[in-house]
Each structure stands twice: as structure tokens, then as C-alpha cells.
């Protein structure tokens, strides 16, 4: 099989107030899997958006096998065999169409404007053939709205390779997947490599990259740092290149005096997943909620916050029984939630950093006539940006233009202004790089030091071990084990997380 060489040379791009890429070089070839890694805001996704035609106002050159190519639109990239699967799979699929229709979408819309008859039988036959070749066990006639997140991702990959795909870019593909779903994705990646497709893999999960990739390119602050063979480097070396400094202790070590019980949950049930959860959290205590994807961690967090209907059970704050019918009740009574899906539920992406940071406590910034005090709002936002280390050109920058780690800091920061008693963090480091993770752990540790009660829900067991005092293991909507963190390990937590007795 002939190998195709891809070269991006001296790529630079600017956005208002931000130089996102500065003279970046990137080289890869078909038949290999290439990790592209860097801290949030390093420019990884921006570079791949240039390659896939989403951004066309860049300077620099792109070559395929030594021939210069012009990529000014996604169609240009696709015609050259370059495809991308974004992290937000739902935005790229049409939910009310079938799997087959979504896979064959590019083929059926290419001649739009001309009168044409669509042979639905042929559409489904072709889609079924592609799915079968990838050993994906999904019916082409099933509606996309009925698929799991992992299945949607497989459909997008199937659509990408329907035409002559030379390079497939996967942006944070494993972030929402369970362990078994990740293994299935890796099987498909290996299969595509064997078919001479070049895979470009953007991820923050270093162990996965070292398992599946051949080469690794590191970026920092919009610039190229290094390119190495995976077999010839180490995870610690890569992290140090990402951060530009030696790897520090990731989890802060602070002596916190654990106080009295702040939150007491008894027999909590929701309408679907949660079945009788009991839990308590004391002042200054970080309590972990551990479990695999789908165990019920997120559902528990939402039920506690009033975002889903509770059918049974009681919640007590400082011994007082709470009535929580909705998130407004929860916030008013001192409970804050930083949700897993930050772009959908945690931030207002089209609003400014300042608007987001003050949105959960507008009362503090309005006068008796309900008019907003913009001067006070700006002052508080500037202080919060500085104290949290949010990387933004200004407090007026739209949150959608920030990196994932900085968006997460905004999602956390808005609750710091409200001074809640209980802070619930649901997968707070999802899609966040190692540098921003440390900042988030420091924030959570500081909250505990101030006597706040913290719930930390995560399927990242190393984080549960690193930051919590106690851990409740959730399996199939129930707490199956309560453990002291300093007396347990990842293996024991995983044993109970998978239904072990």
C-alpha cells in the first residue's frame, strides 16, 4: 500500500485578541496513528480545524506527498481524503434520520439543487456494507436518536471512511466512552490503520495514547514543541513538555480539620436510575462518588441539585430537612453543582466570561430597582479571573472562545461567588489537560479548607484516590460500598464498581 505523507508548514492563525497558532509544523503519514497533545489552549483543535477546512484565514502551507494543496472549506478537505470527527457528536448527526441516511448523507446532498430520485434500498445496502466491514453491530434503519453516544461516534467514523479517507482526525474521542466502548473504538482505529488510513488522535488521556499511537506531537501556547516516537518517550516527559516545566505533585496535600455533618442524604430515589442512596458529607470533607460510566453518578448529582425529579428520600442540610423541587431551590438553600456537560449545562457559551461568573448570584450585582451594576460586575469578574488563573484576553471575551480547561474554571468560578455550603463536582476534569486539572484540584482543596462540604463524582479512579477523604462506590444506581480513601486502592474501587461482592 502506498503511503501518503501529510505536511503542515509554518501554520499561523489569529482571532480577535488571540494568536492561536504561531508558525506550527506538523507531519504524519497514512497507516499510522499520531497523537496530538498539549494543555488546554495549546492550539491542537485549532490546528486540526485548519487541516479539516473549518478555518481558512490562516497563513502557511499544507502538502500531500510534496504537492501543495489548498484547503479553504470542509469540502476541500474531504475531497483530499481528510475527515474529522468532533467531540460533540450530536452536532454532526441528524437525530430524526436513520443510521444509513446519516452515513450516506454526503453522497445524497452532493447533488442538491438538481432533481434526483433517491434509491433508499441502495442507501441502506451501502451503509450496511460499511458497518459490516467495520464490524459495527448497528442496524442501518435505526434512528440516530435511539443510539448510545458510542454508537453515534461509530456512525460518524463510518460516514468518514465511506469515501476515500486518507486521514481521520478524532478529537477527544474517548472522553464520553466507557472502558468497553473505548476498547471497541481502539479495535476500529487499529483496523483503519491496517487499511492504510492515518489517524490523528487528540486526547488528554496519556495512558490511552501510549497504548494506541505510534507517534506523538506536543504543542504549547500555540507553538510546536516536539515530535517523538511513542516507544522512545515516557508519559512524564510528555507532561513536562506540555507544561514547559517539571511535573509537580498533582494532588494538593493540605491538613483540613473535618467538622460536623453538613449534608445527610437518606434513601434517595429518582424516577429512573437512583435506588435508595444514603450518604453523608462533613464540613471540610471531600467525599468521592466512584463508578463506571452509566452507574448513576450523574443522575445522583442531578437529583440532589433538583435537576431531576426525586420520588423518595430526604436531604438534610445542617440537620434541617430541605425541600428541593428545582435547581433554584438548591442554590437558594446552599447547594451548588458543577455539571459533567459543561457546555450544555454549566456555562452560557455565547455570553461573556463576566456574565457567566456573576450569573449564579445576580442579586449581589443589582440595586433595588433590579438594575445591574456593571462596574461591580466587572470588578468581581476581573478579581475572579485573576484568582482562578482563567486564560482569557478579557472578562468580556465570549466563553465559547476559551479552551476546555478555562471554560471549566468559569463553571466553577460562578459558584465561588455564591458561597454555597455544599459543592457537587460531576466529572470536573473531563476533557481537561493535566495543568488545568491541578488548578481545579487546588480550587477544590481550598474550598474544603474553608469548611465546605464537597462531593466529587468521577470515573477517574486515580483522582478519587488522590483527592478524596472517603468514597462511596455506586453500581447500577445503588451505593454498594463505602471506603476510607487512605485504606483502599484503585483495584478495590474498580472491583466494587464492576459489581463485585
Amino acid at each position: 500500500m502506498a503511503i501518503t505523507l501529510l505536511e503542515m508548514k509554518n501554520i499561523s492563525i489569529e482571532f480577535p485578541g488571540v494568536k492561536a497558532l504561531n508558525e506550527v509544523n506538523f507531519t504524519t503519514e497514512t497507516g499510522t496513528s499520531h497523537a496530538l497533545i498539549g494543555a488546554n489552549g495549546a492550539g491542537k483543535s485549532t490546528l486540526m480545524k485548519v487541516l479539516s477546512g473549518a478555518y481558512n484565514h490562516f497563513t502557511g502551507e499544507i502538502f500531500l506527498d510534496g504537492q501543495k494543496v489548498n484547503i479553504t472549506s470542509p469540502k476541500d478537505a474531504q475531497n483530499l481524503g481528510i475527515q474529522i470527527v468532533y467531540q460533540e457528536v450530536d452536532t454532526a448527526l441528524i437525530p430524526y434520520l436513520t443510521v444509513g441516511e446519516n452515513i450516506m448523507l454526503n453522497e445524497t446532498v452532493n447533488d442538491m439543487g438538481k432533481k434526483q430520485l433517491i434509491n433508499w434500498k441502495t442507501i441502506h445496502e451501502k451503509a450496511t456494507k460499511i458497518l459490516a466491514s467495520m464490524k459495527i453491530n448497528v442496524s442501518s434503519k435505526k434512528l440516530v436518536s435511539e443510539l448510545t453516544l458510542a454508537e453515534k461516534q461509530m456512525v460518524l467514523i463510518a460516514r468518514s471512511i465511506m469515501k476515500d479517507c486518507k486521514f481521520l482526525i478524532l478529537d477527544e474521542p474517548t472522553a464520553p466512552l466507557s472502558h468497553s466502548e473505548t476498547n471497541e473504538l481502539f479495535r476500529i482505529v487499529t483496523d483503519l490503520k491496517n487499511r492504510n488510513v492515518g489517524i490523528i488522535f487528540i486526547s488528554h488521556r496519556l495512558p490511552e495514547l501510549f497504548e494506541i499511537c505510534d507517534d506523538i506531537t506536543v504543542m504549547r501556547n500555540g507553538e510546536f514543541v516536539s515530535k517523538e516516537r511513542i516507544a522512545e518517550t515516557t508519559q512524564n516527559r510528555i507532561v513536562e513538555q506540555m507544561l514547559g516545566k517539571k511535573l509537580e505533585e498533582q494532588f494538593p496535600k493540605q491538613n483540613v480539620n473535618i467538622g460536623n455533618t453538613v449534608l445527610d442524604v437518606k434513601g434517595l430515589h429518582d424516577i429512573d436510575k437512583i435506588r435508595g442512596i444514603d450518604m453523608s458529607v462533613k464540613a471540610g470533607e471531600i467525599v468521592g462518588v466512584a463508578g463506571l460510566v452509566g452507574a448513576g453518578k450523574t443522575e445522583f448529582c442531578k437529583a440532589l441539585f433538583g435537576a431531576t425529579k426525586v420520588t423518595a428520600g430526604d436531604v438534610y442540610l445542617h440537620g434541617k430537612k430541605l425541600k428541593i423541587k428545582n435547581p433554584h431551590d438548591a442554590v437558594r438553600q446552599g447547594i451548588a453543582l458543577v455539571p459533567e456537560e459543561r457546555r450544555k449545562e454549566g456555562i452560557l457559551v455565547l455570553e461573556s466570561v463576566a456574565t457567566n461568573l456573576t450569573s449564579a448570584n445576580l442579586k449581589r450585582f443589582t440595586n433595588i430597582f433590579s438594575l445591574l451594576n456593571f462596574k461591580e460586575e466587572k470588578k468581581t469578574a476581573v478579581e475572579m479571573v485573576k484568582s482562578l488563573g482563567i486564560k482569557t484576553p478579557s472578562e468580556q471575551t465570549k466563553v465559547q472562545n476559551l479552551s476546555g480547561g478555562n471554560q471549566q474554571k468559569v463553571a466553577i468560578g460562578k459558584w465561588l461567588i455564591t458561597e454555597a455550603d455544599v459543592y457537587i463536582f460531576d466529572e470536573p476534569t473531563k476533557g481537561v489537560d493535566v495543568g488545568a486539572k491541578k488548578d481545579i484540584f487546588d480550587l477544590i482543596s481550598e474550598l474544603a479548607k474553608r469548611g465546605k462540604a464537597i462531593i466529587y463524582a468521577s470515573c477517574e479512579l486515580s483522582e478519587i484516590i488522590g483527592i478524596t477523604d472517603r468514597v462511596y462506590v455506586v453500581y447500577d444506581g445503588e451505593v454498594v460500598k463505602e471506603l476510607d480513601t487512605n485504606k483502599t486502592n484503585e483495584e478495590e474501587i474498580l472491583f466494587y464498581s464492576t459489581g463485585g461482592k
Side-chain angles (χ1 to χ4, degrees):
M1 286 184 284
I3 289 172
T4 300
L5 179 67
L6 167 70
E7 297 169 286
M8 302 181 77
K9 294 183 178 180
N10 303 320
I11 304 294
S12 296
I13 193 168
E14 291 188 30
F15 299 98
V18 182
K19 183 149 194 176
L21 298 174
N22 183 30
E23 302 283 316
V24 175
N25 294 314
F26 177 78
T27 308
T28 190
E29 59 189 36
T30 53
T32 66
S33 54
H34 195 124
L36 181 58
I37 193 162
N40 285 108
K44 313 175 295 293
S45 294
T46 305
L47 184 68
M48 289 301 102
K49 283 177 178 176
V50 167
L51 181 59
S52 60
Y55 294 148
N56 59 15
H57 63 289
F58 66 94
T59 59
E61 298 173 314
I62 302 172
F63 297 86
L64 286 176
D65 280 340
Q67 293 283 105
K68 185 178 174 182
V69 294
N70 288 319
I71 300 177
T72 58
S73 69
K75 196 169 190 302
D76 289 343
Q78 289 162 15
N79 289 341
L80 292 165
I82 298 165
Q83 301 275 358
I84 187 165
V85 176
Y86 290 111
Q87 189 178 352
E88 287 89 6
V89 292
D90 284 315
T91 61
L93 294 169
I94 301 173
Y96 52 81
L97 294 184
T98 64
V99 167
E101 289 160 354
N102 271 277
I103 289 174
M104 304 302 292
L105 193 63
N106 292 340
E107 192 165 290
T108 53
V109 300
N110 267 348
D111 296 321
M112 287 298 273
K114 298 178 185 176
K115 286 189 177 178
Q116 58 176 332
L117 291 172
I118 294 176
N119 187 326
W120 298 109
K121 186 182 176 188
T122 303
I123 290 271
H124 287 291
E125 281 175 355
K126 283 185 178 179
T128 300
K129 195 174 175 184
I130 292 163
L131 291 166
S133 75
M134 294 171 67
K135 298 186 179 67
I136 298 173
N137 189 25
V138 177
S139 167
S140 78
K141 294 188 177 176
K142 194 172 184 179
L143 284 177
V144 159
S145 59
E146 297 170 3
L147 301 183
T148 66
L149 208 54
E151 287 170 337
K152 289 174 184 174
Q153 207 169 58
M154 303 305 175
V155 168
L156 274 178
I157 294 172
R159 182 204 286 172
S160 299
I161 66 157
M162 188 203 72
K163 293 181 81 175
D164 179 26
C165 179
K166 290 187 176 73
F167 294 96
L168 178 64
I169 305 158
L170 300 174
D171 190 357
E172 291 286 356
T174 64
L177 302 187
S178 69
H179 185 67
S180 60
E181 289 167 341
T182 297
N183 287 339
E184 179 62 11
L185 175 69
F186 285 0
R187 179 192 67 75
I188 289 170
V189 166
T190 303
D191 181 47
L192 292 174
K193 270 171 60 180
N194 293 337
R195 296 196 214 175
N196 202 33
V197 176
I199 310 292
I200 302 171
F201 215 106
I202 301 175
S203 176
H204 292 302
R205 294 179 169 181
L206 279 174
E208 293 178 353
L209 297 177
F210 273 69
E211 179 185 339
I212 195 72
C213 292
D214 305 301
D215 302 294
I216 186 162
T217 290
V218 180
M219 293 179 65
R220 185 172 69 247
N221 296 333
E223 297 184 347
F224 169 87
V225 174
S226 69
K227 178 189 174 187
E228 296 185 79
R229 298 287 294 171
I230 285 277
E232 295 167 5
T233 189
T234 65
Q235 291 185 38
N236 274 5
R237 177 174 157 83
I238 293 299
V239 170
E240 286 170 7
Q241 288 174 347
M242 284 167 59
L243 299 178
K245 59 187 178 184
K246 285 284 182 190
L247 181 62
E248 301 170 25
E249 177 65 49
Q250 198 169 23
F251 301 105
K253 296 283 185 278
Q254 290 193 357
N255 292 320
V256 177
N257 292 322
I258 306 295
N260 296 326
T261 298
V262 173
L263 184 77
D264 210 0
V265 181
K266 295 183 177 177
L268 197 74
H269 288 72
D270 74 353
I271 51 174
D272 179 34
K273 189 84 179 179
I274 303 306
R275 301 184 295 174
I277 286 184
D278 294 338
M279 183 179 295
S280 66
V281 192
K282 294 176 179 175
E285 189 178 34
I286 304 174
V287 169
V289 179
L292 302 179
V293 173
K297 303 184 304 299
T298 292
E299 289 82 358
F300 170 69
C301 294
K302 285 186 173 182
L304 206 51
F305 191 61
T308 54
K309 187 175 172 61
V310 170
T311 56
D314 296 311
V315 178
Y316 297 86
L317 189 68
H318 298 298
K320 179 189 171 188
K321 187 174 173 180
L322 300 183
K323 287 184 178 178
I324 301 174
K325 292 182 179 178
N326 52 49
H328 179 261
D329 288 343
V331 174
R332 197 167 41 82
Q333 295 175 90
I335 298 175
L337 169 67
V338 178
E340 178 182 16
E341 296 296 334
R342 61 173 168 262
R343 286 183 71 88
K344 278 188 193 173
E345 301 167 343
I347 50 176
L348 303 164
V349 290
L350 296 175
E351 298 295 338
S352 70
V353 171
T355 298
N356 272 273
L357 286 172
T358 57
S359 62
N361 198 10
L362 281 176
K363 198 172 180 182
R364 177 176 154 184
F365 303 100
T366 52
N367 60 23
I368 55 170
F369 304 108
S370 297
L371 294 173
L372 193 62
N373 185 333
F374 290 105
K375 191 176 176 183
E376 187 62 27
E377 182 190 49
K378 179 180 177 177
K379 182 187 168 195
T380 303
V382 168
E383 287 170 359
M384 193 57 69
V385 164
K386 189 177 177 182
S387 69
L388 297 182
I390 298 170
K391 289 181 182 171
T392 175
S394 119
E395 77 285 350
Q396 293 307 321
T397 300
K398 286 187 179 180
V399 169
Q400 66 177 1
N401 295 327
L402 303 187
S403 67
N406 287 302
Q407 287 179 1
Q408 188 67 310
K409 288 181 187 179
V410 171
I412 295 170
K414 73 177 185 184
W415 294 118
L416 301 185
I417 294 171
T418 66
E419 280 294 333
D421 293 305
V422 179
Y423 287 83
I424 307 166
F425 293 89
D426 185 12
E427 300 288 359
T429 63
K430 180 178 167 183
V432 167
D433 73 81
V434 68
K437 275 184 185 180
K438 186 175 186 317
D439 291 340
I440 289 167
F441 296 144
D442 286 339
L443 279 172
I444 292 169
S445 185
E446 191 58 38
L447 285 171
K449 204 174 174 184
R450 282 161 48 189
K452 307 300 182 182
I454 315 280
I455 294 174
Y456 191 96
S458 180
C459 57
E460 300 287 350
L461 301 187
S462 60
E463 294 178 12
I464 292 284
I465 291 289
I467 198 168
T468 68
D469 301 298
R470 279 187 303 125
V471 55
Y472 292 91
V473 185
V474 175
Y475 175 77
D476 202 17
E478 296 180 279
V479 170
V480 291
K481 193 72 177 175
E482 180 187 347
L483 300 160
D484 279 332
T485 308
N486 61 5
K487 294 177 184 173
T488 187
N489 53 40
E490 288 185 45
E491 288 73 24
E492 185 179 22
I493 296 174
L494 186 60
F495 173 73
Y496 292 113
S497 296
T498 52
K501 302 290 184 191

